[in-house]
Amino acid sequence: MPLRLLNSSAGLRNDNQTLAAPYALALLLVAAALASTLLLQTVYVGRPPLFPFFAAIAAAAWFGGKGPGYFASAVSVPLGLYFYVVARPDHDLHFRDFLLFVFFATCAFLGGALNSRHRKTEDGLRSAHRDLQAKATELQHANDALLAEMAERRRTEATLEAMRSKLGRVMRLTTMAEMAASIAHEINQPLTAIVTNGETCVRWLNAAEPNIAEAQDAAKRAVRDAERASQVVSRIRAMVRNALADREQVSLQACLDDVLALLLADLTAHQIEIRCEVPPALPTLFGDRIQLQQVFFNLLTNAIESLSETTGRQRDITISAERGRENTVVILLRDNGAGFQDCEPEQLFDSFVTTKPSGMGMGLSISRTIVETHGGTLTASRAIPHGAAFAITLPLSGEEP
Ligand code: ADP
């Protein structure tokens, strides 16, 4: 408690000292003005000029504010009275001197008031400037934080897209692998039986005494097994046809947008510029949306893979669509990658034809099958001066999008 008392009294003392300092300075300045005026009086004939007092008042108001300014004026006025009236060499009191004194006193008070006001305005401006700077810094920080957040969001979105497209690819590969395994399994059994029955038939025919009846039986069994294998293939075809049973109206633009969204991360990662121009009033297609997406996905994935190894020029993919003959649409998809180097474009549509170390060579053949099942055509050609071009023709439904 005493300590607090001590502290508060010390604080009071400090406050008083702070308050008194500008007045002391004002007094000092007026004293300096007096000294310099007295000095001037020794070299001047007549009344010395009193401008040192104006300077003292202006300085006191500038450094101390309104109070010290008025204080300096109040102290200077009697001194002015002394120089104008009392200290005249002839000691005669003239009205003119009195007027001059009044003029001096008015100027002294006005000078103090104006200077302190000027100082106040300048202080206000300075503080507003400081506030503005603080606000600008705050805004800059907020902006930086927002930009960082946006960059982080873009990174997360790109990672998500990359994961999604990877997942899509893995799922497609898994489905294909499963389908291939089940086809192999179903076909393998009749094929083994055909081989066995064929060998039996040959054995009966090659015997010392050929047994024609047994050979015929074995040959018939081989034929029956071959028919079974063919039924398996027919069943798979029927399955594919059934999968196409529920066709719907498909907007080409929406279909391309979905595929491009899936491939966005890959396109961005390889700095590929993509231009997609589909006429807005193009009627819809009629088909299996997922399968049509699969076609664009395959073609675009191939284009991206080719472009990812292309250097020395801007990497571009262009997709355009225009109405063809007899209510069809012709979709052109071209890239400026390496193109088809050693092969004839038509050969690439055969199953298992690939130039990639880890390629399966199924993408183009599946794509052509899908397009043909939709009543269209898919062809490839070399693009001029670089790259590959694919043309897909598909019938339009006639319905507005
Ligand atoms: P995969 O991509 O597994 O090789 P595809 O059937 O999709 O199988 O493609 C077959 C081949 O066609 C590819 O290996 C590649 O040589 C060639 N090809 C396809 N599209 C392009 C393209 N846009 N640019 C260059 N070559 C391509």
Side-chain angles (χ1 to χ4, degrees), residues 375-399:
T377 57
L378 169 60
T379 51
S381 58
R382 294 178 206 280
I384 312 269
H386 314 280
F390 288 88
I392 306 166
T393 307
L394 283 167
L396 289 167
S397 71
E399 304 259 340

Side-chain angles (χ1 to χ4, degrees), residues 298-299 302-306 335 337-341 343 348 350 353-356 358-365 387-388 390:
N298 287 344
L299 299 181
N302 279 338
I304 292 171
E305 279 173 359
S306 166
D335 63 74
F340 316 115
Q341 279 169 349
C343 328
L348 300 167
D350 291 342
V353 173
T354 181
T355 55
K356 302 171 194 167
S358 58
M360 287 177 68
M362 290 299 291
L364 289 183
S365 100
F390 288 88

Side-chain angles (χ1 to χ4, degrees), residues 151-224:
E152 181 61 37
R153 209 182 167 137
R154 267 201 299 274
R155 268 199 298 278
T156 316
E157 272 170 12
T159 318
L160 268 177
E161 284 298 332
M163 276 167 63
R164 212 177 299 160
S165 88
K166 212 174 197 169
L167 195 73
R169 235 172 289 163
V170 170
M171 272 170 65
R172 269 186 299 283
L173 282 180
T174 316
T175 316
M176 272 185 72
E178 270 176 17
M179 215 169 124
S182 73
I183 294 171
H185 176 76
E186 288 209 46
I187 300 248
N188 198 33
Q189 208 248 337
L191 285 183
T192 317
I194 291 168
V195 172
T196 313
N197 284 316
E199 282 169 357
T200 311
C201 176
V202 171
R203 238 192 347 268
W204 285 121
L205 291 175
N206 285 345
E209 285 176 29
N211 189 334
I212 302 297
E214 288 288 354
Q216 272 179 339
D217 278 353
K220 278 180 194 157
R221 282 199 300 276
V223 170
R224 192 196 59 210

Side-chain angles (χ1 to χ4, degrees), residues 34-73:
L34 177 62
S36 47
T37 311
L38 287 172
L39 206 68
L40 279 173
Q41 201 175 25
T42 58
V43 293
Y44 245 79
V45 180
R47 185 190 326 109
L50 300 188
F51 52 75
F53 289 99
F54 291 122
I57 292 166
W62 183 259
F63 291 114
K66 205 162 153 185
Y70 283 134
F71 176 66
S73 311

Side-chain angles (χ1 to χ4, degrees), residues 206-276:
N206 285 345
E209 285 176 29
N211 189 334
I212 302 297
E214 288 288 354
Q216 272 179 339
D217 278 353
K220 278 180 194 157
R221 282 199 300 276
V223 170
R224 192 196 59 210
D225 291 329
E227 276 167 356
R228 234 172 66 214
S230 149
Q231 279 164 7
V232 170
V233 174
S234 307
R235 239 185 22 247
I236 291 165
R237 282 220 187 98
M239 249 166 61
V240 174
R241 243 177 269 124
N242 280 344
L244 286 173
D246 43 287
R247 294 189 180 194
E248 54 181 328
Q249 305 289 340
V250 182
S251 146
L252 177 62
Q253 182 71 68
C255 193
L256 286 169
D257 285 348
D258 287 346
V259 175
L260 290 176
L262 267 178
L263 292 170
L264 184 67
D266 285 343
L267 291 165
T268 315
H270 294 110
Q271 294 159 353
I272 298 170
E273 222 161 77
I274 184 138
R275 237 188 5 257
C276 182

